[in-house]
Amino acid sequence: MRTILVQIPHDQIELFFTDESLEGIHQLGNIIWNPHHRPFTEQELCEHIQGVDTVITTWRSAPISEEVLKHADQLKLIAHMAGSVKPILPTLDVYRRGIRVLNSNYAIGVSVSESVLALILALGHKIIPVNKEMGTGRNAKSAIYETYELRGRTVGLIGLGMVAREVIKLLQPFGVKLLGCDPFVSAEQAQEWNVELKSLHEVIAESHIVSLHAPKVPETYQMIGHKELSLLRDGALLINTARGDLIDEAALIEELRKKRFYAGLDVFIVEPLSADSELRHMDNVIVRPHLAGVNPDSRLRIGTLMVQELQQFYSNGPLRFEVKESQLAIMT
């Protein structure tokens, strides 16, 4: 009988699993639950992983290190119930051993895409400044608070991965023109998504709204600097729900002081965002503490989709969320 080891802390199980998905995972084999209200240590993971077919990980789980692999004599699958698998894969030996890897980017990406749309609409309709003005007892019905419609705008997507493609779906009713920049996407793929491929600078200069979806890799470090920010048209919206390292934050603050464009930011170079950051107090900025992808709905979606994926794996069916070694280099 196969054995599945779940690293999720015991007090978080109900955050990820519905009654139905719990029943589904129990039908797959013998389940070893983490009894602690904290992640396993590396030593504890080594002690539990012998004879295990599948290990389920999440945020802050003990990584599948070389030491852990020495004890993983039966391991066939790592199922990561969180976003990036990089924190739990400090060694690529898992692939050398034929161990397959799953992640939950799609389950999280659905929520991130909604956050992108929410930030676009909140900035365009000036929801926060209008609410603040109304709270003072004054009437916010003036020209400076008039809305900036999304309908018919040009939206530029920097990176055309899974989240960006979910954003594309949400934007369809608004009749926007879509521009994209992604060196790993072919013209044929872009055409399927109704996206016109252009260079980074062309996308920024020609878009009313620019949304960042590139991975955190050396090539994308501070890819948005003074030059790129200067290309944004007056009144543009800049959205970043990907990684803070994509933007030169000092340059961004300097440009935002000019009040020439607006920004919706969910990620920062250093997190949490410092209490004295100027970004917290700018009228043309919405800041959020890296909340775009994780909420009660997305956690339960993670559990449901992962159980379905495990069922596919054990029945030799096609997998939707497998992470191949070749994909790691371009993943966040």
Side-chain angles (χ1 to χ4, degrees), residues 174-193:
F174 295 93
V176 300
K177 178 181 179 180
L178 294 168
L179 305 181
C181 173
D182 192 320
F184 299 99
V185 170
S186 68
E188 292 75 21
Q189 287 175 308
Q191 188 173 21
E192 288 179 17
W193 306 327

Side-chain angles (χ1 to χ4, degrees), residues 140-301:
K141 194 171 183 179
S142 67
I144 63 170
Y145 294 125
E146 287 182 347
T147 60
Y148 178 94
E149 289 191 354
L150 172 56
R151 223 165 279 275
R153 300 288 181 182
T154 297
V155 178
L157 302 169
I158 310 301
L160 291 167
M162 183 273 300
V163 175
R165 295 196 296 274
E166 288 298 311
V167 171
I168 290 170
K169 294 176 187 176
L170 295 180
L171 290 174
Q172 286 178 353
F174 295 93
V176 300
K177 178 181 179 180
L178 294 168
L179 305 181
C181 173
D182 192 320
F184 299 99
V185 170
S186 68
E188 292 75 21
Q189 287 175 308
Q191 188 173 21
E192 288 179 17
W193 306 327
N194 199 30
V195 175
E196 182 180 354
L197 289 179
K198 297 214 171 209
S199 71
L200 174 65
H201 285 182
E202 287 173 331
V203 169
I204 294 172
E206 297 176 23
S207 299
H208 299 98
I209 300 157
V210 176
S211 188
L212 306 184
H213 301 283
K216 179 183 176 180
V217 293
E219 294 78 8
T220 63
Y221 179 72
Q222 296 193 359
M223 66 188 299
I224 308 297
H226 280 288
K227 172 63 176 177
E228 290 72 26
L229 293 167
S230 71
L231 294 173
L232 285 168
R233 61 172 72 197
D234 290 352
L237 312 182
L238 175 65
I239 311 296
N240 188 11
T241 57
R243 286 293 184 263
D245 285 0
L246 301 182
I247 302 179
D248 179 340
E249 212 164 272
L252 177 62
I253 291 172
E254 186 176 329
E255 291 295 326
L256 284 168
R257 288 175 186 148
K258 301 173 185 177
K259 298 189 181 295
R260 199 175 58 77
F261 62 89
Y262 302 84
L265 308 171
D266 187 60
V267 289
F268 309 93
I269 292 176
V270 177
E271 296 179 0
L273 182 65
S274 64
D276 60 353
S277 172
E278 191 174 344
L279 291 169
R280 290 178 179 268
H281 309 291
M282 291 180 154
D283 292 337
N284 54 335
V285 181
I286 294 176
V287 292
R288 304 176 77 226
H290 206 150
L291 285 175
V294 183
N295 56 58
D297 293 321
S298 65
R299 288 190 195 94
L300 292 176
R301 186 184 306 115

Side-chain angles (χ1 to χ4, degrees), residues 6 16-17 20 29 42 55-57 77 79 81 85-86 89 109-110 123 162 232 236 275 297 311 331:
V6 182
F16 288 91
F17 294 99
E20 184 178 356
E42 182 182 59
V55 61
I56 294 177
T57 58
L77 182 69
M81 290 177 53
V85 298
K86 289 183 178 179
L89 290 182
V110 171
L123 286 168
M162 183 273 300
L232 285 168
D297 293 321
Q311 290 167 340
M331 293 184 73

